[in-house]
Amino acid sequence: MIFHMTSKKPVLLVGNGAREAGAAEEIYRLIEKVHIPVLTSLNTVDMVQDKERIGFIGTYGNRAANMIVAECDLVIAAGIRLGLRQIGNKPELFAPNAELVRVDIDQAELSRQIKDNEEKYLVDAREFLLRLLEEDIPDYTNWFERCLSLRDYLESKDDELGNLAIKKIGSLLPENPIVAADIGQAMCWTAQSLWLKGREGRIVIGGSYGAMGVGLPYAIGASIYYGKKTVYCITGDGGFQMNIQELETIAREKLPIKILIINNHALGKISEVQEKSYGGRYAQTTFDSGYSVPDFEAVSKAYGIKAITLQSYDELDRYKGWLMDDEPCLFDITLPWDTKLNPKIEFNTMEVMPRLADEVMEKAWGLLRNE
């Protein structure tokens, strides 16, 4: 037996290794068979979608997902490397109440010791999950429903304007869309708050594979790969400027790419570091410190691509037709320059910040622990 039968609160963590192994079907089968909560890495937040999605773990992960890891008693990590931004720099604080089972095809990754008594399997993630499906595993419906209740209770507690903008976008997208997310605040807001309808959609995230600016090239590549299919590119004002010339490619090739710029007129993640760690001494990240943005609507129209500047994400409702037609378009969605990216894990403590009110957290832990 691979599964630890004494476990009362197990979780399955999946990452890009599970995607590359083609294990999506097996993940859903495991959820349906035994109702085990499945959490993901940032790069593979779309591996579990629709009503089964709980979120991703790590530095900017969903608060509910990180709380579930802190409470669980078994972690099965399949094709997820459990790197620094997922477990912090003090491994003993990661899943402190849980046994750990790690599955990877890279011996070098498994050579890193996270827990003293962890079990390791040098095997393909899909093959491993197929083995699990053959085992007589208890049903964890009660634990699964508690995790979903926690997710639903906390769902709006950490919302910043960036999250609300992403939720508005998600509400207008069709079933099973393809979304390319750029690096920066927009990427994290997308990973935190973009719930896809259906199980076949994709959120292509830069993660550690590219720098700011990858969103538009990712969208172009995805559209061409899928036969000039519609792709939704969610980007920030800083990232978009780094490959703004690719508007020419979109116009020339007539690619139906819908560009949604979450524009807070700042290099958001960098300015947050300058604010929190350097006493608000901004440098080349805000308008007053040497950073600015052009008129994106005018630039887009210069390339022959229809565009509109919106003062609020709520105005997107008036342009739903633009999101559904077969033409490229650009939305410049304005947010305040100091819009924050929350929640965030404190690096040395694994505590999720900002702190919520005591009564909120007491109820949250009570939902998870069935108290």
Side-chain angles (χ1 to χ4, degrees):
M1 292 289 292
I2 298 172
F3 203 87
H4 294 206
M5 302 300 289
T6 57
S7 299
K8 303 296 183 185
K9 295 178 283 189
V11 297
L12 174 65
L13 301 183
V14 295
N16 253 341
R19 186 197 302 286
E20 292 301 312
E25 180 181 346
E26 286 69 33
I27 291 169
Y28 282 115
R29 283 175 59 194
L30 197 61
I31 294 173
E32 292 163 358
K33 178 183 177 182
V34 302
H35 299 96
I36 184 173
V38 180
L39 311 175
T40 74
S41 67
L42 168 64
N43 290 341
T44 51
V45 70
D46 60 345
M47 284 290 286
V48 181
Q49 281 298 339
D50 219 313
K51 63 182 182 297
E52 291 88 2
R53 170 179 167 168
I54 296 173
F56 73 102
I57 67 168
T59 306
Y60 291 104
N62 298 89
R63 188 183 294 264
N66 282 317
M67 288 178 65
I68 290 166
V69 170
E71 179 67 17
C72 72
D73 61 9
L74 172 65
V75 172
I76 301 175
I80 178 171
R81 68 185 300 265
L82 299 182
L84 196 64
R85 294 190 65 179
Q86 293 166 345
I87 68 171
N89 69 333
K90 293 185 176 181
E92 65 273 15
L93 298 179
F94 171 73
N97 305 313
E99 297 180 77
L100 176 61
V101 176
R102 296 173 62 200
V103 182
D104 209 299
I105 60 170
D106 188 342
Q107 182 63 62
E109 288 293 344
L110 291 180
S111 67
R112 294 186 300 113
Q113 196 76 10
I114 296 172
K115 287 182 176 288
D116 292 338
N117 61 343
E118 66 185 42
E119 296 180 25
K120 302 177 183 181
Y121 292 88
L122 186 65
V123 66
D124 174 85
R126 180 172 180 271
E127 181 181 338
F128 178 87
L129 291 175
L130 286 170
R131 293 185 195 176
L132 278 186
L133 285 164
E134 293 174 356
E135 296 188 358
D136 185 19
I137 303 174
D139 185 271
Y140 291 99
T141 296
N142 181 266
W143 164 241
F144 184 65
E145 289 180 348
R146 280 146 55 192
C147 292
L148 295 183
S149 295
L150 176 71
R151 176 200 67 184
D152 294 344
Y153 176 65
L154 292 176
E155 195 256 337
S156 62
K157 296 293 189 292
D158 289 303
D159 278 352
E160 300 287 344
L161 288 175
N163 300 96
L164 296 176
I166 296 299
K167 288 182 178 181
K168 169 58 72 173
I169 292 168
S171 72
L172 299 174
L173 297 187
E175 190 174 42
N176 299 320
I178 301 170
V179 179
D182 212 329
I183 300 295
Q185 286 177 318
M187 176 189 72
C188 294
W189 287 325
T190 298
Q192 291 172 346
S193 299
L194 185 63
W195 252 247
L196 301 187
K197 297 182 280 287
R199 291 183 174 181
E200 305 298 324
R202 281 297 314 274
I203 303 176
V204 184
I205 284 181
S208 300
Y209 303 108
M212 284 177 61
V214 299
L216 202 56
Y218 277 7
I220 291 170
S223 181
I224 293 172
Y225 176 83
Y226 287 106
K228 293 193 174 182
K229 189 174 181 178
T230 297
V231 174
Y232 301 88
C233 174
I234 299 177
T235 182
D237 49 281
F240 183 67
Q241 290 192 82
M242 292 186 174
N243 272 310
I244 198 169
Q245 76 283 350
E246 295 300 342
L247 288 173
E248 190 276 333
T249 304
I250 293 171
R252 172 168 40 84
E253 300 296 329
K254 298 181 173 59
L255 300 176
I257 293 174
K258 316 297 184 175
I259 304 164
L260 298 117
I261 304 173
I262 310 301
N263 185 359
N264 59 355
H265 295 77
L267 299 179
K269 285 188 75 174
I270 304 170
S271 67
E272 282 197 37
V273 172
Q274 292 173 348
E275 175 191 350
K276 294 175 182 178
S277 300
Y278 297 96
R281 296 192 293 276
Y282 301 108
Q284 288 75 52
T285 58
T286 64
F287 181 79
D288 290 335
S289 68
Y291 170 80
S292 62
V293 302
D295 182 338
F296 291 124
E297 178 181 345
V299 172
S300 182
K301 288 179 176 179
Y303 282 99
I305 297 173
K306 63 185 178 183
I308 190 70
T309 302
L310 306 180
Q311 298 307 312
S312 168
Y313 48 81
D314 286 326
E315 296 177 41
L316 279 168
D317 288 312
R318 301 203 299 255
Y319 297 91
K320 187 173 181 179
W322 285 25
L323 293 170
M324 298 301 170
D325 65 27
D326 59 358
E327 299 178 6
C329 64
L330 181 146
F331 297 92
D332 182 4
I333 305 168
T334 302
L335 294 183
W337 77 269
D338 57 350
T339 302
K340 301 301 183 203
L341 173 58
N342 287 317
K344 182 180 180 181
I345 286 182
E346 286 286 313
F347 194 62
N348 292 318
T349 67
M350 295 300 286
E351 183 177 1
V352 184
M353 301 296 289
R355 294 184 179 90
L356 299 181
D358 290 344
E359 59 269 24
V360 172
M361 292 307 299
E362 183 177 348
K363 181 174 180 179
W365 285 117
L367 287 170
L368 193 59
R369 295 167 179 166
N370 200 25
E371 297 174 346

